[in-house]
Amino acid sequence: GIEDTAAETNALRFTLNFTDGLENSSTHTKDEVIALAQASDIPLINIGMGGLVDIALLLDMSTETGGFFYYAANNETLETVFDLIRNNLNNTQLVTWTSSANNVSSITIAAGSAYTGNFTP
């Protein structure tokens, strides 16, 4: 899924994964998946499904890739999870910047009082 998503040209790219996170017959390790997602700049949005879920693994994979983790114990809570994802995506802003000045070493981006971030290339 990460490789397919990396080939997309949309500005906002992520994978949405429904899993219990338990080992069945994986062909890649957790660290390999995280490394590929990081190298491809693809956040993992993991939804832990069912009664027995490896929450620590899924949370770690989401956090390490800039994504989110949600737990859905059953179909009823899945609707709430979809609402949370929709809200997160609707409140996502993409900022791009190109400088023609060679002496600019960093920029600061502020979004109201909720966020201030610095970027240094």
Side-chain angles (χ1 to χ4, degrees), residues 44-112:
L44 303 179
I45 299 176
N46 292 315
I47 301 175
M49 298 285 299
L52 183 59
V53 174
D54 190 339
I55 292 173
L57 175 117
L58 297 175
L59 181 59
D60 188 41
M61 292 177 74
S62 296
T63 302
E64 291 295 318
T65 61
F68 303 97
F69 169 74
Y70 302 94
Y71 175 68
N74 52 47
N75 289 340
E76 290 76 31
T77 57
L78 192 56
E79 185 174 341
T80 301
V81 168
F82 285 144
D83 287 339
L84 291 169
I85 292 170
R86 184 176 23 262
N87 288 338
N88 278 332
L89 293 176
N90 286 339
N91 291 315
T92 298
Q93 303 295 320
L94 176 65
V95 176
T96 59
W97 171 64
T98 305
S99 173
S100 58
N102 292 332
N103 61 348
V104 176
S105 60
S106 68
I107 61 168
T108 299
I109 299 170

